[in-house]
Amino acid sequence: MTASYLRIRNLSKRFGDFTALDNVSIDIHKGEFVCFLGPSGCGKTTLLRAISGLDIQTHGTVEQDGRDISALPPAQRDFGIVFQSYALFQNLTVARNIAYGLENRRQTKTAIQQRVKDLLALINLPDSGRKYPSQLSGGQQQRVALARALAISPGLLLLDEPLSALDAKVRVYLRDEIKTLQRRLGITTIMITHDQEEAISMADRIVVMRDGRIEQIGTPLEIYHQPASLFVAEFIGAMNLLPATLVRQGEIQLGQARLACKVDNFTLGAAVHAAVRPEDVVCTGRTNGHANSFQAEVQDLEFMGPFFWLSLGGGELGEHRLRAQVSSQRARELGLRPRDSMHLHIPAEHIRLFAKGYPYG
C-alpha cells in the first residue's frame, strides 16, 4: 500500500461526561473503500462528522493528503458527502441539484452544463436533468445525491448510511452501483453502516467499532474468518458460541464430544467459548467417517430456498444447541427430517476459542 491518504491519530470526542470516541487511530490509503461498521451508538457517525469537520473532535488530529485539517471548517476540507435522507433541494431540478457546488465555485456556465451532463450519464439518469427530486424514486434520488457529491471532484467521498432508507432490492442494486463507480473513479471512500452485509460486500477494509473504540480493522475475509474478539465474532454474520472446556493442549470438550482445534493462550481446564460458523458444520450423514465428529439430533429444519437452517442438539451435544447451514441439494441427498440422528463434522481450523466473560469475553 502507498502512504496514508487520511491519517487519524488519537481522536477523542466528549459530550459532557459521555465519551463518544475514545483515542481512535486509523490510516486510510488513497483509493480505498473503507466501511465504519458497528451498532447504534458505537461512535461511527461521530467519527465521520469529525473527519468532515461537522463536529470537531475534543482531542486528536486528522490529516488528509499530508495536510492537517483537524481544526478546519467543512468548507475548507476536500470532501463530498451523501446522507441517508438524500438531502436534495426539492425546489431545484436534478440538474441544478448536481450543479449546486459548481455554481458556488463560480465555474462557467458551459463547464457546469458539461459536468452535469457527464454526471447524469455516470449515474445512468441521462434524461432526468429537468425533473424534480419528487418525480424520482428513492434509489434515483440517492444516485443524484451521489452525483452532487462527486460534482466538485473531491479527494474524499463520505457516505453516511446512504442505503438504509431504501427497500431491500434497491439497496442491493445501488450498493453494486456505488462500488463499481468508486472503483472506476478511484476515489477514496468512507461509508458508515450498521449493515454487516453491506460492509462485507462493498469494503476493501472494515473498521468494526464498539463503545467509541475500534475492535478490529481488516479485510472482509479477515473480519469474517478471523474475528479478533467475541464481540466481532457475534456481530459479523451468524455464529455458534458454545461453552466448552480445554481438556488438553489442542483439544476441547463440548458436551460429550472432544474436538481438536487451535489453542492459544489458554490453560488446561479453562472455560471458553467455541465459535463456529453455521456453514462450517458439515453434516456427514449417519456414519462417522471423519475426525472431529460427533453425533446429534436434528431438532428443527427451516427452509430458506437455496439452503436449510438446521437446529441441532441432544446426542453428544447434550443440552447444547448448534445451528448448521446445509445446501438444499445436500439436505435432499441426506433426506433430512426432524428427530433424525446424524453425525456432524467440524474441521479443527474452523473452530475459534474466546475467553468466557460478560458481555463479550
Side-chain angles (χ1 to χ4, degrees):
M1 280 272 185
T2 56
S4 299
Y5 176 75
L6 192 70
R7 190 172 185 267
I8 298 164
R9 285 295 178 272
N10 309 117
L11 217 65
S12 296
K13 178 66 180 180
R14 296 186 182 88
F15 298 95
D17 294 333
F18 175 68
T19 300
L21 288 177
D22 189 3
N23 203 39
V24 169
S25 295
I26 312 170
D27 287 301
I28 294 174
H29 304 284
K30 195 171 185 65
E32 259 196 314
F33 194 123
V34 174
C35 277
F36 295 167
L37 175 67
S40 297
C42 71
K44 57 188 185 294
T45 298
T46 304
L47 180 54
L48 191 83
R49 290 178 66 83
I51 292 168
S52 67
L54 293 170
D55 209 341
I56 299 292
Q57 66 278 358
T58 307
H59 299 292
T61 60
V62 181
E63 293 179 10
Q64 183 179 356
D65 204 15
R67 176 185 177 220
D68 190 338
I69 62 171
S70 306
L72 294 181
Q76 294 181 31
R77 303 193 187 199
D78 180 20
F79 72 92
I81 190 165
V82 179
F83 297 99
Q84 173 185 342
S85 57
Y86 321 140
L88 297 174
F89 301 111
Q90 296 299 315
N91 61 323
L92 299 181
T93 64
V94 165
R96 287 291 308 281
N97 265 282
I98 296 172
Y100 185 79
L102 301 171
E103 291 172 349
N104 285 345
R105 295 188 175 198
R106 292 182 167 79
Q107 294 199 12
T108 66
K109 187 175 181 180
T110 301
I112 291 173
Q113 287 176 341
Q114 185 59 52
R115 181 65 172 155
V116 169
K117 181 181 178 182
D118 291 345
L119 286 164
L120 284 170
L122 190 67
I123 62 169
N124 296 317
L125 292 173
D127 302 319
S128 296
R130 294 183 179 181
K131 294 181 179 179
Y132 286 86
S134 60
Q135 296 174 285
L136 303 179
S137 68
Q140 289 172 329
Q141 289 187 60
Q142 198 58 296
R143 282 149 71 186
V144 173
L146 182 62
R148 184 178 63 183
L150 294 170
I152 58 173
S153 299
L156 179 65
L157 179 62
L158 304 177
L159 306 175
D160 185 2
E161 301 212 47
L163 308 178
S164 59
L166 305 172
D167 67 52
K169 210 166 193 178
V170 175
R171 200 159 59 237
V172 171
Y173 173 74
L174 198 53
R175 79 185 185 202
D176 290 341
E177 280 208 334
I178 288 173
K179 182 58 183 174
T180 300
L181 191 59
Q182 186 269 340
R183 281 178 174 160
R184 188 189 311 171
L185 299 175
I187 185 171
T188 309
T189 301
I190 297 172
M191 184 174 85
I192 65 171
T193 181
H194 61 270
D195 187 319
Q196 52 191 273
E197 190 176 295
E198 277 179 15
I200 288 171
S201 66
M202 297 177 75
D204 296 316
R205 285 192 299 157
I206 298 171
V207 178
V208 183
M209 299 185 66
R210 173 169 70 112
D211 296 336
R213 298 182 179 182
I214 293 174
E215 283 280 314
Q216 186 174 357
I217 302 175
T219 66
L221 282 172
E222 288 168 345
I223 296 289
Y224 189 81
H225 291 297
Q226 301 167 41
S229 68
L230 192 53
F231 171 81
V232 177
E234 283 197 289
F235 188 73
I236 305 294
M239 181 70 83
N240 291 292
L241 291 172
L242 304 164
T245 304
L246 182 62
V247 289
R248 69 179 185 184
Q249 197 59 34
E251 189 172 274
I252 58 170
Q253 180 147 352
L254 175 63
Q256 298 172 30
R258 290 201 171 195
L259 303 175
C261 63
K262 186 178 179 182
V263 175
D264 292 315
N265 303 318
F266 291 105
T267 58
L268 291 180
V272 295
H273 285 293
V276 180
R277 295 285 183 195
E279 65 269 25
D280 291 330
V281 180
V282 181
C283 296
T284 61
R286 289 158 186 82
T287 58
N288 181 1
H290 298 268
N292 260 31
S293 293
F294 54 94
Q295 181 268 335
E297 181 182 276
V298 178
Q299 298 185 332
D300 193 25
L301 295 92
E302 184 180 2
F303 178 58
M304 300 299 292
F307 66 89
F308 280 85
W309 282 116
L310 270 61
S311 179
L312 303 155
E316 291 176 83
L317 278 177
E319 295 182 356
H320 299 311
R321 295 293 175 267
L322 181 69
R323 290 190 87 200
Q325 189 183 94
V326 179
S327 72
S328 291
Q329 179 179 344
R330 182 60 175 157
R332 285 194 299 270
E333 289 171 357
L334 294 171
L336 291 179
R337 293 168 301 185
R339 294 182 294 281
D340 274 357
S341 180
M342 65 166 45
H343 281 90
L344 306 158
H345 163 58
I346 304 177
E349 63 271 21
H350 292 154
I351 302 172
R352 294 184 65 83
L353 301 184
F354 296 96
K356 262 193 166 183
Y358 182 83
Y360 291 113

